[in-house]
mmCIF file with all atom_site columns, all heavy atoms in Angstrom:
data_model
loop_
_atom_site.group_PDB
_atom_site.id
_atom_site.type_symbol
_atom_site.label_atom_id
_atom_site.label_alt_id
_atom_site.label_comp_id
_atom_site.label_asym_id
_atom_site.label_entity_id
_atom_site.label_seq_id
_atom_site.pdbx_PDB_ins_code
_atom_site.Cartn_x
_atom_site.Cartn_y
_atom_site.Cartn_z
_atom_site.occupancy
_atom_site.B_iso_or_equiv
_atom_site.pdbx_formal_charge
_atom_site.auth_seq_id
_atom_site.auth_comp_id
_atom_site.auth_asym_id
_atom_site.auth_atom_id
_atom_site.pdbx_PDB_model_num
ATOM 1   N N   . THR A 1 198 ? 7.955  2.522  11.332 1.00 98.00 ? 198 THR A N   1
ATOM 2   C CA  . THR A 1 198 ? 7.322  3.689  11.931 1.00 98.00 ? 198 THR A CA  1
ATOM 3   C C   . THR A 1 198 ? 7.341  4.715  10.959 1.00 98.00 ? 198 THR A C   1
ATOM 4   O O   . THR A 1 198 ? 8.166  4.973  10.170 1.00 98.00 ? 198 THR A O   1
ATOM 5   C CB  . THR A 1 198 ? 8.142  4.102  13.169 1.00 98.00 ? 198 THR A CB  1
ATOM 6   O OG1 . THR A 1 198 ? 8.055  3.052  14.137 1.00 98.00 ? 198 THR A OG1 1
ATOM 7   C CG2 . THR A 1 198 ? 7.585  5.401  13.806 1.00 98.00 ? 198 THR A CG2 1
ATOM 8   N N   . VAL A 1 199 ? 6.163  5.522  11.017 1.00 98.00 ? 199 VAL A N   1
ATOM 9   C CA  . VAL A 1 199 ? 6.097  6.711  10.294 1.00 98.00 ? 199 VAL A CA  1
ATOM 10  C C   . VAL A 1 199 ? 6.053  7.868  11.316 1.00 98.00 ? 199 VAL A C   1
ATOM 11  O O   . VAL A 1 199 ? 5.162  7.867  12.200 1.00 98.00 ? 199 VAL A O   1
ATOM 12  C CB  . VAL A 1 199 ? 4.748  6.708  9.522  1.00 98.00 ? 199 VAL A CB  1
ATOM 13  C CG1 . VAL A 1 199 ? 4.516  8.114  8.710  1.00 98.00 ? 199 VAL A CG1 1
ATOM 14  C CG2 . VAL A 1 199 ? 4.582  5.671  8.599  1.00 98.00 ? 199 VAL A CG2 1
ATOM 15  N N   . LEU A 1 200 ? 6.923  8.817  11.162 1.00 98.00 ? 200 LEU A N   1
ATOM 16  C CA  . LEU A 1 200 ? 6.995  9.959  12.091 1.00 98.00 ? 200 LEU A CA  1
ATOM 17  C C   . LEU A 1 200 ? 6.549  11.238 11.364 1.00 98.00 ? 200 LEU A C   1
ATOM 18  O O   . LEU A 1 200 ? 7.077  11.659 10.381 1.00 98.00 ? 200 LEU A O   1
ATOM 19  C CB  . LEU A 1 200 ? 8.430  10.098 12.626 1.00 98.00 ? 200 LEU A CB  1
ATOM 20  C CG  . LEU A 1 200 ? 8.690  11.352 13.518 1.00 98.00 ? 200 LEU A CG  1
ATOM 21  C CD1 . LEU A 1 200 ? 7.728  11.520 14.655 1.00 98.00 ? 200 LEU A CD1 1
ATOM 22  C CD2 . LEU A 1 200 ? 10.104 11.414 13.982 1.00 98.00 ? 200 LEU A CD2 1
ATOM 23  N N   . LEU A 1 201 ? 5.390  11.728 11.768 1.00 98.00 ? 201 LEU A N   1
ATOM 24  C CA  . LEU A 1 201 ? 4.759  12.887 11.162 1.00 98.00 ? 201 LEU A CA  1
ATOM 25  C C   . LEU A 1 201 ? 4.933  14.172 11.928 1.00 98.00 ? 201 LEU A C   1
ATOM 26  O O   . LEU A 1 201 ? 4.874  14.121 13.212 1.00 98.00 ? 201 LEU A O   1
ATOM 27  C CB  . LEU A 1 201 ? 3.266  12.599 11.062 1.00 98.00 ? 201 LEU A CB  1
ATOM 28  C CG  . LEU A 1 201 ? 2.821  11.504 9.996  1.00 98.00 ? 201 LEU A CG  1
ATOM 29  C CD1 . LEU A 1 201 ? 1.205  11.519 10.046 1.00 98.00 ? 201 LEU A CD1 1
ATOM 30  C CD2 . LEU A 1 201 ? 3.139  11.902 8.556  1.00 98.00 ? 201 LEU A CD2 1
ATOM 31  N N   . ALA A 1 202 ? 4.986  15.219 11.369 1.00 97.00 ? 202 ALA A N   1
ATOM 32  C CA  . ALA A 1 202 ? 4.747  16.589 11.916 1.00 97.00 ? 202 ALA A CA  1
ATOM 33  C C   . ALA A 1 202 ? 4.211  17.400 10.814 1.00 97.00 ? 202 ALA A C   1
ATOM 34  O O   . ALA A 1 202 ? 4.689  18.370 10.366 1.00 97.00 ? 202 ALA A O   1
ATOM 35  C CB  . ALA A 1 202 ? 6.135  17.094 12.363 1.00 97.00 ? 202 ALA A CB  1
ATOM 36  N N   . ARG A 1 203 ? 2.946  17.047 10.432 1.00 96.00 ? 203 ARG A N   1
ATOM 37  C CA  . ARG A 1 203 ? 2.305  17.536 9.249  1.00 96.00 ? 203 ARG A CA  1
ATOM 38  C C   . ARG A 1 203 ? 3.071  17.249 7.991  1.00 96.00 ? 203 ARG A C   1
ATOM 39  O O   . ARG A 1 203 ? 2.437  16.836 7.013  1.00 96.00 ? 203 ARG A O   1
ATOM 40  C CB  . ARG A 1 203 ? 2.061  19.043 9.453  1.00 96.00 ? 203 ARG A CB  1
ATOM 41  C CG  . ARG A 1 203 ? 1.116  19.317 10.563 1.00 96.00 ? 203 ARG A CG  1
ATOM 42  C CD  . ARG A 1 203 ? 0.490  20.701 10.538 1.00 96.00 ? 203 ARG A CD  1
ATOM 43  N NE  . ARG A 1 203 ? -0.384 20.849 11.719 1.00 96.00 ? 203 ARG A NE  1
ATOM 44  C CZ  . ARG A 1 203 ? -0.875 22.020 12.189 1.00 96.00 ? 203 ARG A CZ  1
ATOM 45  N NH1 . ARG A 1 203 ? -0.660 23.095 11.595 1.00 96.00 ? 203 ARG A NH1 1
ATOM 46  N NH2 . ARG A 1 203 ? -1.652 22.021 13.284 1.00 96.00 ? 203 ARG A NH2 1
ATOM 47  N N   . GLU A 1 204 ? 4.355  17.408 7.951  1.00 97.00 ? 204 GLU A N   1
ATOM 48  C CA  . GLU A 1 204 ? 5.138  16.837 6.882  1.00 97.00 ? 204 GLU A CA  1
ATOM 49  C C   . GLU A 1 204 ? 5.706  15.559 7.341  1.00 97.00 ? 204 GLU A C   1
ATOM 50  O O   . GLU A 1 204 ? 5.623  15.271 8.558  1.00 97.00 ? 204 GLU A O   1
ATOM 51  C CB  . GLU A 1 204 ? 6.153  17.849 6.476  1.00 97.00 ? 204 GLU A CB  1
ATOM 52  C CG  . GLU A 1 204 ? 7.133  18.348 7.554  1.00 97.00 ? 204 GLU A CG  1
ATOM 53  C CD  . GLU A 1 204 ? 8.114  19.348 7.105  1.00 97.00 ? 204 GLU A CD  1
ATOM 54  O OE1 . GLU A 1 204 ? 7.700  20.468 7.054  1.00 97.00 ? 204 GLU A OE1 1
ATOM 55  O OE2 . GLU A 1 204 ? 9.279  19.030 6.805  1.00 97.00 ? 204 GLU A OE2 1
ATOM 56  N N   . LEU A 1 205 ? 6.337  14.870 6.390  1.00 98.00 ? 205 LEU A N   1
ATOM 57  C CA  . LEU A 1 205 ? 6.927  13.564 6.928  1.00 98.00 ? 205 LEU A CA  1
ATOM 58  C C   . LEU A 1 205 ? 8.355  13.876 7.464  1.00 98.00 ? 205 LEU A C   1
ATOM 59  O O   . LEU A 1 205 ? 9.133  14.399 6.746  1.00 98.00 ? 205 LEU A O   1
ATOM 60  C CB  . LEU A 1 205 ? 6.975  12.678 5.633  1.00 98.00 ? 205 LEU A CB  1
ATOM 61  C CG  . LEU A 1 205 ? 7.552  11.222 5.953  1.00 98.00 ? 205 LEU A CG  1
ATOM 62  C CD1 . LEU A 1 205 ? 6.738  10.529 6.930  1.00 98.00 ? 205 LEU A CD1 1
ATOM 63  C CD2 . LEU A 1 205 ? 7.679  10.477 4.625  1.00 98.00 ? 205 LEU A CD2 1
ATOM 64  N N   . VAL A 1 206 ? 8.554  13.416 8.599  1.00 98.00 ? 206 VAL A N   1
ATOM 65  C CA  . VAL A 1 206 ? 9.885  13.504 9.195  1.00 98.00 ? 206 VAL A CA  1
ATOM 66  C C   . VAL A 1 206 ? 10.792 12.277 8.931  1.00 98.00 ? 206 VAL A C   1
ATOM 67  O O   . VAL A 1 206 ? 11.871 12.393 8.454  1.00 98.00 ? 206 VAL A O   1
ATOM 68  C CB  . VAL A 1 206 ? 9.874  13.779 10.716 1.00 98.00 ? 206 VAL A CB  1
ATOM 69  C CG1 . VAL A 1 206 ? 11.247 13.864 11.351 1.00 98.00 ? 206 VAL A CG1 1
ATOM 70  C CG2 . VAL A 1 206 ? 9.042  15.073 11.064 1.00 98.00 ? 206 VAL A CG2 1
ATOM 71  N N   . ALA A 1 207 ? 10.172 11.115 9.071  1.00 98.00 ? 207 ALA A N   1
ATOM 72  C CA  . ALA A 1 207 ? 10.949 9.850  8.756  1.00 98.00 ? 207 ALA A CA  1
ATOM 73  C C   . ALA A 1 207 ? 9.899  8.645  8.548  1.00 98.00 ? 207 ALA A C   1
ATOM 74  O O   . ALA A 1 207 ? 8.893  8.770  9.224  1.00 98.00 ? 207 ALA A O   1
ATOM 75  C CB  . ALA A 1 207 ? 11.951 9.566  9.803  1.00 98.00 ? 207 ALA A CB  1
ATOM 76  N N   . TRP A 1 208 ? 10.335 7.689  7.703  1.00 98.00 ? 208 TRP A N   1
ATOM 77  C CA  . TRP A 1 208 ? 9.432  6.599  7.470  1.00 98.00 ? 208 TRP A CA  1
ATOM 78  C C   . TRP A 1 208 ? 10.367 5.406  7.264  1.00 98.00 ? 208 TRP A C   1
ATOM 79  O O   . TRP A 1 208 ? 11.162 5.627  6.280  1.00 98.00 ? 208 TRP A O   1
ATOM 80  C CB  . TRP A 1 208 ? 8.525  6.899  6.313  1.00 98.00 ? 208 TRP A CB  1
ATOM 81  C CG  . TRP A 1 208 ? 7.499  5.779  5.967  1.00 98.00 ? 208 TRP A CG  1
ATOM 82  C CD1 . TRP A 1 208 ? 7.639  4.470  6.358  1.00 98.00 ? 208 TRP A CD1 1
ATOM 83  C CD2 . TRP A 1 208 ? 6.189  6.103  5.421  1.00 98.00 ? 208 TRP A CD2 1
ATOM 84  N NE1 . TRP A 1 208 ? 6.446  3.942  5.907  1.00 98.00 ? 208 TRP A NE1 1
ATOM 85  C CE2 . TRP A 1 208 ? 5.563  4.806  5.298  1.00 98.00 ? 208 TRP A CE2 1
ATOM 86  C CE3 . TRP A 1 208 ? 5.568  7.156  4.929  1.00 98.00 ? 208 TRP A CE3 1
ATOM 87  C CZ2 . TRP A 1 208 ? 4.261  4.670  4.717  1.00 98.00 ? 208 TRP A CZ2 1
ATOM 88  C CZ3 . TRP A 1 208 ? 4.301  7.019  4.265  1.00 98.00 ? 208 TRP A CZ3 1
ATOM 89  C CH2 . TRP A 1 208 ? 3.611  5.780  4.229  1.00 98.00 ? 208 TRP A CH2 1
ATOM 90  N N   . GLY A 1 209 ? 10.243 4.384  7.963  1.00 97.00 ? 209 GLY A N   1
ATOM 91  C CA  . GLY A 1 209 ? 11.131 3.173  7.764  1.00 97.00 ? 209 GLY A CA  1
ATOM 92  C C   . GLY A 1 209 ? 11.212 2.370  8.883  1.00 97.00 ? 209 GLY A C   1
ATOM 93  O O   . GLY A 1 209 ? 10.351 2.379  9.706  1.00 97.00 ? 209 GLY A O   1
ATOM 94  N N   . PRO A 1 210 ? 12.160 1.535  9.012  1.00 98.00 ? 210 PRO A N   1
ATOM 95  C CA  . PRO A 1 210 ? 12.495 0.616  10.104 1.00 98.00 ? 210 PRO A CA  1
ATOM 96  C C   . PRO A 1 210 ? 12.469 1.377  11.376 1.00 98.00 ? 210 PRO A C   1
ATOM 97  O O   . PRO A 1 210 ? 13.225 2.486  11.410 1.00 98.00 ? 210 PRO A O   1
ATOM 98  C CB  . PRO A 1 210 ? 13.750 -0.102 9.803  1.00 98.00 ? 210 PRO A CB  1
ATOM 99  C CG  . PRO A 1 210 ? 14.002 0.036  8.340  1.00 98.00 ? 210 PRO A CG  1
ATOM 100 C CD  . PRO A 1 210 ? 13.379 1.290  7.931  1.00 98.00 ? 210 PRO A CD  1
ATOM 101 N N   . THR A 1 211 ? 11.745 1.013  12.442 1.00 98.00 ? 211 THR A N   1
ATOM 102 C CA  . THR A 1 211 ? 11.621 1.800  13.690 1.00 98.00 ? 211 THR A CA  1
ATOM 103 C C   . THR A 1 211 ? 12.953 2.218  14.292 1.00 98.00 ? 211 THR A C   1
ATOM 104 O O   . THR A 1 211 ? 13.045 3.389  14.701 1.00 98.00 ? 211 THR A O   1
ATOM 105 C CB  . THR A 1 211 ? 10.838 0.933  14.690 1.00 98.00 ? 211 THR A CB  1
ATOM 106 O OG1 . THR A 1 211 ? 9.560  0.667  14.124 1.00 98.00 ? 211 THR A OG1 1
ATOM 107 C CG2 . THR A 1 211 ? 10.692 1.681  16.007 1.00 98.00 ? 211 THR A CG2 1
ATOM 108 N N   . PRO A 1 212 ? 13.955 1.489  14.372 1.00 98.00 ? 212 PRO A N   1
ATOM 109 C CA  . PRO A 1 212 ? 15.225 1.977  14.992 1.00 98.00 ? 212 PRO A CA  1
ATOM 110 C C   . PRO A 1 212 ? 15.840 3.131  14.239 1.00 98.00 ? 212 PRO A C   1
ATOM 111 O O   . PRO A 1 212 ? 16.484 3.888  14.782 1.00 98.00 ? 212 PRO A O   1
ATOM 112 C CB  . PRO A 1 212 ? 16.155 0.726  14.923 1.00 98.00 ? 212 PRO A CB  1
ATOM 113 C CG  . PRO A 1 212 ? 15.292 -0.388 14.758 1.00 98.00 ? 212 PRO A CG  1
ATOM 114 C CD  . PRO A 1 212 ? 14.059 0.034  14.031 1.00 98.00 ? 212 PRO A CD  1
ATOM 115 N N   . GLN A 1 213 ? 15.561 3.195  12.856 1.00 98.00 ? 213 GLN A N   1
ATOM 116 C CA  . GLN A 1 213 ? 16.231 4.297  12.057 1.00 98.00 ? 213 GLN A CA  1
ATOM 117 C C   . GLN A 1 213 ? 15.238 5.544  12.114 1.00 98.00 ? 213 GLN A C   1
ATOM 118 O O   . GLN A 1 213 ? 15.697 6.582  11.726 1.00 98.00 ? 213 GLN A O   1
ATOM 119 C CB  . GLN A 1 213 ? 16.250 3.823  10.613 1.00 98.00 ? 213 GLN A CB  1
ATOM 120 C CG  . GLN A 1 213 ? 17.410 2.784  10.446 1.00 98.00 ? 213 GLN A CG  1
ATOM 121 C CD  . GLN A 1 213 ? 17.289 2.164  9.105  1.00 98.00 ? 213 GLN A CD  1
ATOM 122 O OE1 . GLN A 1 213 ? 16.954 2.747  8.039  1.00 98.00 ? 213 GLN A OE1 1
ATOM 123 N NE2 . GLN A 1 213 ? 17.667 0.805  9.079  1.00 98.00 ? 213 GLN A NE2 1
ATOM 124 N N   . VAL A 1 214 ? 13.900 5.304  12.563 1.00 98.00 ? 214 VAL A N   1
ATOM 125 C CA  . VAL A 1 214 ? 13.050 6.510  12.629 1.00 98.00 ? 214 VAL A CA  1
ATOM 126 C C   . VAL A 1 214 ? 12.993 7.075  13.994 1.00 98.00 ? 214 VAL A C   1
ATOM 127 O O   . VAL A 1 214 ? 13.141 8.411  14.191 1.00 98.00 ? 214 VAL A O   1
ATOM 128 C CB  . VAL A 1 214 ? 11.545 6.001  12.243 1.00 98.00 ? 214 VAL A CB  1
ATOM 129 C CG1 . VAL A 1 214 ? 10.608 7.093  12.514 1.00 98.00 ? 214 VAL A CG1 1
ATOM 130 C CG2 . VAL A 1 214 ? 11.501 5.583  10.784 1.00 98.00 ? 214 VAL A CG2 1
ATOM 131 N N   . LEU A 1 215 ? 13.027 6.320  15.061 1.00 98.00 ? 215 LEU A N   1
ATOM 132 C CA  . LEU A 1 215 ? 12.950 6.832  16.332 1.00 98.00 ? 215 LEU A CA  1
ATOM 133 C C   . LEU A 1 215 ? 14.345 7.158  16.818 1.00 98.00 ? 215 LEU A C   1
ATOM 134 O O   . LEU A 1 215 ? 14.794 6.632  17.868 1.00 98.00 ? 215 LEU A O   1
ATOM 135 C CB  . LEU A 1 215 ? 12.381 5.730  17.291 1.00 98.00 ? 215 LEU A CB  1
ATOM 136 C CG  . LEU A 1 215 ? 10.801 5.635  17.196 1.00 98.00 ? 215 LEU A CG  1
ATOM 137 C CD1 . LEU A 1 215 ? 10.317 4.596  18.264 1.00 98.00 ? 215 LEU A CD1 1
ATOM 138 C CD2 . LEU A 1 215 ? 10.073 6.931  17.434 1.00 98.00 ? 215 LEU A CD2 1
ATOM 139 N N   . THR A 1 216 ? 14.870 8.143  16.187 1.00 98.00 ? 216 THR A N   1
ATOM 140 C CA  . THR A 1 216 ? 16.195 8.733  16.656 1.00 98.00 ? 216 THR A CA  1
ATOM 141 C C   . THR A 1 216 ? 16.063 9.939  17.272 1.00 98.00 ? 216 THR A C   1
ATOM 142 O O   . THR A 1 216 ? 15.058 10.687 17.035 1.00 98.00 ? 216 THR A O   1
ATOM 143 C CB  . THR A 1 216 ? 17.224 8.834  15.524 1.00 98.00 ? 216 THR A CB  1
ATOM 144 O OG1 . THR A 1 216 ? 16.638 9.722  14.642 1.00 98.00 ? 216 THR A OG1 1
ATOM 145 C CG2 . THR A 1 216 ? 17.414 7.434  14.747 1.00 98.00 ? 216 THR A CG2 1
ATOM 146 N N   . GLU A 1 217 ? 16.870 10.425 18.212 1.00 97.00 ? 217 GLU A N   1
ATOM 147 C CA  . GLU A 1 217 ? 16.718 11.670 18.897 1.00 97.00 ? 217 GLU A CA  1
ATOM 148 C C   . GLU A 1 217 ? 16.680 12.785 17.924 1.00 97.00 ? 217 GLU A C   1
ATOM 149 O O   . GLU A 1 217 ? 15.891 13.718 17.968 1.00 97.00 ? 217 GLU A O   1
ATOM 150 C CB  . GLU A 1 217 ? 17.839 11.840 20.001 1.00 97.00 ? 217 GLU A CB  1
ATOM 151 C CG  . GLU A 1 217 ? 17.628 12.866 21.062 1.00 97.00 ? 217 GLU A CG  1
ATOM 152 C CD  . GLU A 1 217 ? 16.111 12.898 21.509 1.00 97.00 ? 217 GLU A CD  1
ATOM 153 O OE1 . GLU A 1 217 ? 15.603 11.841 21.774 1.00 97.00 ? 217 GLU A OE1 1
ATOM 154 O OE2 . GLU A 1 217 ? 15.521 13.914 21.675 1.00 97.00 ? 217 GLU A OE2 1
#
Side-chain angles (χ1 to χ4, degrees):
T198 297
V199 179
L200 174 55
L201 290 177
R203 296 197 181 165
E204 59 186 79
L205 183 61
V206 177
W208 187 332
T211 297
Q213 288 164 37
V214 171
L215 282 184
T216 62
E217 197 43 43

